[in-house]
Amino acid sequence: MPHSLLPEESTTQDTSIADAETNNGETQATEGTVAADIAKSNEDSQFSEVMDQDMTMVDAGVEGEVVQQIPIKAEQKPEVKLEDLFADVESDEEFPSSNIVDTKASSPPEAPPPQCEHIGPSSRASDPEVMRSFYQRLFPWRHLFQWLNHSPTPTADFGHREFAFTLQNDAYLRYQSFPTSDLLRKDVLRLMPSRFEIGPVYSTNPRDRKTLRKASAFKPIAKELCFDIDLTDYDDIRTCCDKANICNKCWQFITMAIKVIDVALRDDFGFKHIMWVYSGRRGAHAWVCDKKARLMDDQKRRAIAGYLEVIKGGAEGGKRVNVKRPLHPHVAGSRSLELLKSHFQTDILHDQDPWETDEKFDRLLQLLPDKTLNEALRKKWSSAPGRVSTAKWADIDALAKTGASKGLDSRALLDAKQDIVLEYTYPRLDIEVSKHLNHLLKSPFVVHPGTGRVCVPINPKKAEDFDPLAVPTVTELLAEIDQWSGPEDEEKEVKNIQDWEKTSLKPYVEFFRSFVVTLMNDEKGVKVKREREDNGADGMDF
């Protein structure tokens, strides 16, 4: 992703292209090195030094700068292919035709879908005063600190963490760091960025990177494993909306992605602490927060990303699903295909109706393996304009059973149908976000400047209930505070109620708080267990 860089005059901000290039180079660290670096960074004396240095940021170069956008090339390396990682496990799973909706050829075309929401701010969400009120009254600073710090008391997990600010004049400040959430909050209120992003934990304070004798001493050592899913990557198959516009119909692509990726991360890799966050407009981000995920180097991140990547290539290319048979359990069996088949019937065939026109059903025929069957299907569909996609999907099996093609390979047809289901339903990931330890990602609970909506967490267990168009905007939240009236009694309790508790942001903050508490408890449990093991070993000397 392109990053903006500030001029050389500023010494505490991102001031050189070379630094950005260095930061974007591949850096690998073993888990042992990571643990040692973090332990060393936890010393109180070092935090005192950080406190002295990082109280504020220098203002030079912030106001009125015209910042050049520098595109940073993505690393070109051989990818770990899904089919190479998949073991040759025998699979007896078949894609049944009995689930196909029987739709008559005479059925009238579906009524046009409701108009998608052409997203735009109802009011100036990025207005500095509006944003100031939001960050002062509603943003969950304490929970954000505990989430990134993994402890109630400051550690290097937070103090050496990089933050990046996008300012109102589009200047982009990188390598900002803060010992406490209060100092982060103060700088956010001072600079009023339109948003801020979260990067990795570094081996030393990011602000001190230029004082080091060796540039190699400054390296990323830990960050959550992240995934990014954006609806624009579905523009070649969603028919209701395109570009930045969304509706509840096409949001089902994100729902499917959350279900598939969340199950795979938990069942196949054993991760427990996975937080999904609405991007504020047309997508979702996943933050895998387990310690073993945070300490992974780029090679391991690429391997996991490659394992989960099934849809490859651009919309202009041919077939985008190429997996070996028998299918890996992640794709077949009771996993992805089984989960996605019901979505394919309702969300794809019925709601999206992707093969309504001749041009569109030609794409479907390209994915089927038998030319004779294809010609029979083309003739049938051309003679019945407006035939809905549910009927066309049923026609494939119906014509195959009539013997329209004597040389038809039924196994090849079944495989092709499975691939079609995957192409229209399987998650489309922005893999670059997942592959690199030093990639930055937008913070949860910031406000999207285009829509005014807050980037709230999504409960993966209730993914189907999440409505992106019902997520509160910053102006709605501030109005809710003004309209709130507390209980008539218990005046003391009313005084202790925080502003976010008076708004529709409350369930999202409470879900985030619960997630953070569970994460911290697990981190504490690992530490206590290790201390007990160490004490037990010492006891053997007596």
Side-chain angles (χ1 to χ4, degrees), residues 357-429:
T357 64
D358 289 3
E359 180 183 353
K360 291 179 179 179
F361 74 62
D362 189 62
R363 170 60 181 161
L364 171 60
L365 295 176
Q366 291 174 16
L367 300 174
L368 295 174
D370 190 275
K371 291 183 179 179
T372 304
L373 178 63
N374 289 359
E375 288 306 314
L377 290 168
R378 186 188 303 277
K379 183 178 179 181
K380 181 178 181 64
W381 296 343
S382 296
S383 64
R387 189 167 175 77
V388 294
S389 295
T390 48
K392 287 174 180 172
W393 182 250
D395 289 341
I396 297 173
D397 274 0
L399 280 182
K401 290 176 181 177
T402 64
S405 174
K406 295 181 180 179
L408 177 66
D409 183 339
S410 58
R411 184 71 235 184
L413 179 61
L414 175 61
D415 291 348
K417 289 180 67 181
Q418 289 177 336
D419 289 351
I420 291 168
V421 172
L422 290 172
E423 178 155 335
Y424 281 81
T425 59
Y426 192 86
R428 302 184 174 200
L429 303 172

Side-chain angles (χ1 to χ4, degrees), residues 142-278:
R142 183 167 62 91
H143 305 317
L144 183 84
F145 168 78
Q146 292 174 345
W147 170 51
L148 297 175
N149 187 65
H150 312 112
S151 171
T153 55
T155 71
D157 281 8
F158 189 86
H160 289 183
R161 173 83 67 162
E162 177 187 1
F163 292 89
F165 298 141
T166 301
L167 304 187
Q168 298 292 335
N169 62 358
D170 292 331
Y172 190 73
L173 308 185
R174 289 201 56 186
Y175 301 113
Q176 307 306 306
S177 60
F178 307 90
T180 67
S181 61
D182 187 55
L183 293 176
L184 169 62
R185 176 179 178 272
K186 286 179 180 178
D187 250 7
V188 167
L189 290 173
R190 183 174 65 86
L191 295 171
M192 294 313 302
S194 57
R195 73 176 191 182
F196 64 88
E197 295 173 329
I198 298 171
V201 179
Y202 281 90
S203 53
T204 188
N205 192 318
R207 292 178 184 269
D208 298 337
R209 68 193 186 285
K210 292 190 175 182
T211 65
L212 301 174
R213 293 183 179 180
K214 294 183 179 180
S216 60
F218 179 69
K219 58 186 178 181
I221 58 175
K223 190 182 77 77
E224 295 75 13
L225 173 64
C226 296
F227 296 90
D228 183 12
I229 306 163
D230 196 308
L231 274 175
T232 53
D233 291 327
Y234 294 82
D235 278 356
D236 62 313
I237 59 173
R238 62 173 176 155
T239 60
C240 50
C241 309
D242 64 354
K243 300 179 181 177
N245 305 308
I246 69 167
C247 68
N248 284 312
K249 285 187 176 181
C250 56
W251 183 258
Q252 295 310 307
F253 287 111
I254 303 297
T255 300
M256 290 182 254
I258 291 174
K259 287 182 174 182
V260 170
I261 299 301
D262 193 78
V263 169
L265 291 171
R266 294 178 194 277
D267 291 358
D268 297 349
F269 298 99
F271 296 128
K272 293 173 56 181
H273 305 287
I274 306 166
M275 184 173 66
W276 289 90
V277 181
Y278 173 47

Side-chain angles (χ1 to χ4, degrees), residues 311-381:
I311 308 296
K312 300 180 182 181
E316 309 80 17
K319 184 179 179 182
R320 299 183 65 183
V321 174
N322 293 284
V323 291
K324 287 183 178 180
R325 259 62 183 195
L327 291 174
H328 187 275
H330 164 59
V331 176
S334 60
R335 287 291 298 277
S336 300
L337 260 177
E338 189 65 32
L339 185 154
L340 293 169
K341 280 187 291 187
S342 62
H343 284 282
F344 181 73
Q345 291 293 332
T346 56
D347 300 322
I348 304 301
L349 297 184
H350 184 270
D351 290 349
Q352 295 295 331
D353 196 6
W355 309 310
E356 179 185 6
T357 64
D358 289 3
E359 180 183 353
K360 291 179 179 179
F361 74 62
D362 189 62
R363 170 60 181 161
L364 171 60
L365 295 176
Q366 291 174 16
L367 300 174
L368 295 174
D370 190 275
K371 291 183 179 179
T372 304
L373 178 63
N374 289 359
E375 288 306 314
L377 290 168
R378 186 188 303 277
K379 183 178 179 181
K380 181 178 181 64
W381 296 343

Side-chain angles (χ1 to χ4, degrees), residues 150 273 515-527:
H150 312 112
H273 305 287
F515 177 89
V516 172
V517 168
T518 304
L519 175 63
M520 287 197 302
N521 285 340
D522 269 15
E523 297 272 335
K524 181 180 178 182
V526 170
K527 183 178 179 181

Side-chain angles (χ1 to χ4, degrees), residues 56-121:
T56 59
M57 294 196 302
V58 177
D59 290 329
V62 172
E63 296 297 330
E65 288 292 343
V66 178
V67 182
Q68 182 181 3
Q69 297 286 335
I70 308 294
I72 299 177
K73 294 183 179 179
E75 178 186 14
Q76 300 294 328
K77 288 203 171 186
E79 296 299 323
V80 181
K81 295 184 178 180
L82 179 70
E83 49 266 38
D84 294 339
L85 285 170
F86 283 172
D88 271 339
V89 179
E90 186 63 33
S91 172
D92 58 358
E93 172 71 8
E94 292 187 350
F95 187 75
S97 300
S98 59
N99 287 339
I100 296 172
V101 177
D102 185 13
T103 306
K104 296 181 180 180
S106 59
S107 299
E110 295 290 327
Q115 197 73 13
C116 62
E117 179 179 87
H118 293 269
I119 294 186

